[in-house]
């Protein structure tokens, strides 16, 4: 009797049903009932059969386009995020990962308009633990802060922020982080914290949103990304290392 037939025989005995076997079988059911054609990929059918965009080879990435920033704002954010998440021997930095595009796209949408935040008055200065308490939307804060970053850079170094050396850019960012820059309309440290958080999000978000170019952010962490199922490796006792997938990889044409 072959190994395959032996497993089928064991499956007929309810007492032999393992948690792993249950999860594997459940995966097939979910794939067939809910995910439609995705189940074919779980069973080994090449993705290229139903995804011409992958079969055709590399194409122009139209996701790398500005939706909110001016060119000068984009260059400023690109330089600032690279100092926050610089390239090193481990992998690419924020610039090569397209983080500035991620932030640009977020500012053009609900996040930039604070669509999910309560933005009605009265407005009072809150404690640090209370978070942002002002009337300005994120896109307005970025407009002001990026202009002030260049103003501060010109006053101290006679150059725009993205024209400075890396060390000088660090000094400007540190001045914002420590509220050493005098701005009456926004909190310099509040902007820095928002920029830093958005940078990290852009490094590790799905590439569908503009950052994490080529999924290199995930690759540095050995993160599998958005896998639809793990049925092909669920019975493997060893730690599996699999290539990451974006949400776009699962789009069927």
């Amino acid at each position: 009797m072959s190994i395959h037939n032996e497993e089928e025989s064991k499956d007929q005995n309810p007492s032999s049903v393992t948690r792993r076997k249950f999860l594997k079988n459940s995966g097939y059911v979910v794939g067939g009932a809910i995910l439609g054609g995705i189940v074919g990929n779980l069973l080994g059918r090449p993705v290229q059969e139903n995804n011409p965009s992958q079969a055709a080879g590399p194409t122009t990435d139209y996701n790398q386009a500005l939706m909110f920033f001016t060119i000068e704002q984009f260059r400023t954010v690109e330089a600032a995020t690279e100092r926050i998440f610089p390239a090193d021997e481990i992998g690419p930095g924020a610039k090569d990962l397209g983080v500035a595009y991620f932030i640009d796209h977020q500012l053009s949408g609900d996040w930039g308009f604070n669509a999910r935040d309560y933005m009605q008055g009265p407005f009072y200065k809150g404690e640090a633990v209370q978070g942002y308490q002002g009337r300005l939307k994120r896109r307005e804060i970025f407009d002001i802060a990026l202009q002030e970053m260049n103003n501060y850079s010109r006053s101290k170094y006679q150059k725009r922020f993205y024209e400075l050396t890396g060390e000088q850019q660090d000094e400007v960012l540190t001045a914002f982080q420590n509220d050493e820059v005098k701005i009456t309309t926004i909190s310099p440290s509040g902007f820095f914290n928002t920029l830093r958080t958005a940078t990290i999000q852009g490094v590790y978000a799905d590439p569908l949103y503009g950052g994490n170019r080529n999924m290199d952010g995930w690759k540095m962490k050995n993160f599998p990304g958005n896998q639809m199922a793990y049925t092909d490796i669920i019975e493997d006792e060893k730690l599996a290392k699999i290539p990451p997938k974006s949400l776009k990889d699962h789009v069927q044409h």
Side-chain angles (χ1 to χ4, degrees):
M1 180 182 292
S2 66
I3 295 177
H4 178 71
N5 290 333
E6 286 178 356
E7 290 184 354
E8 289 181 344
S9 176
K10 290 178 180 178
D11 288 345
Q12 294 175 0
N13 181 359
S15 63
S16 68
V17 177
T18 64
R19 177 174 178 270
R20 185 172 293 166
K21 178 67 69 176
F22 170 77
L23 291 173
K24 181 176 181 180
N25 292 337
S26 298
Y28 287 139
V29 172
V30 171
I34 300 177
L35 303 178
I38 298 299
V39 70
N41 296 332
L42 302 182
L43 295 174
R45 186 177 64 225
V47 175
Q48 286 82 354
E49 289 182 13
N50 286 316
N51 196 339
S53 65
Q54 290 190 4
T59 57
T60 301
D61 188 356
Y62 293 105
N63 204 25
Q64 303 291 294
L66 295 182
M67 299 180 180
F68 173 74
F69 288 142
T70 64
I71 295 299
E72 180 165 286
Q73 287 176 326
F74 176 79
R75 290 174 178 170
T76 302
V77 171
E78 189 175 56
T81 55
E82 179 68 17
R83 299 310 299 173
I84 293 173
F85 195 93
D88 57 20
E89 66 280 0
I90 298 176
K95 181 177 180 178
D96 288 336
L97 289 168
V99 168
Y101 286 108
F102 169 82
I103 297 175
D104 169 79
H105 295 182
Q106 294 302 305
L107 288 171
S108 72
D110 287 352
W111 187 75
F113 284 100
N114 293 68
R116 298 186 180 183
D117 299 329
Y118 182 81
M119 297 294 291
Q120 302 299 316
F123 299 98
Y124 299 105
K125 184 176 181 179
E127 300 296 329
V129 295
Q130 293 178 301
Y132 179 63
Q133 300 290 314
R135 67 178 71 244
L136 294 176
K137 298 178 175 62
R138 291 188 186 92
R139 53 179 20 221
E140 296 170 326
I141 292 174
F142 268 79
D143 277 339
I144 295 170
L146 295 177
Q147 182 61 51
E148 292 297 339
M149 283 181 68
N150 282 316
N151 290 344
Y152 183 81
S153 299
R154 286 192 183 98
S155 66
K156 190 168 184 178
Y157 301 108
Q158 293 72 54
K159 293 181 180 180
R160 289 168 290 193
F161 178 82
Y162 55 86
E163 298 171 331
L164 303 179
T165 66
E167 291 74 16
Q168 291 170 338
Q169 290 173 348
D170 288 346
E171 292 178 7
V172 174
L173 290 172
T174 300
F176 269 77
Q177 183 181 21
N178 296 333
D179 284 319
E180 297 171 1
V181 183
K182 304 306 178 185
I183 307 175
T184 58
T185 50
I186 65 169
S187 163
S189 61
F191 166 72
F192 175 84
N193 291 333
T194 299
L195 179 63
R196 182 184 183 279
T197 298
T199 298
I200 302 303
Q201 290 172 341
V203 169
Y204 297 116
D206 193 288
L208 194 67
Y209 299 102
N212 189 14
R213 186 181 289 145
N214 299 322
M215 294 180 281
D216 285 338
W218 289 345
K219 292 173 185 176
M220 286 189 285
K221 294 286 190 179
N222 291 324
F223 180 67
N226 291 298
Q227 302 285 331
M228 297 304 286
Y230 297 91
T231 53
D232 56 335
I233 61 172
I234 200 168
E235 292 189 344
D236 195 342
E237 298 292 344
K238 299 179 181 179
L239 179 64
K241 183 178 180 180
I242 55 180
K245 284 188 177 181
S246 165
L247 289 169
K248 184 178 182 296
D249 294 330
H250 304 295
V251 176
Q252 300 295 300
H253 297 271

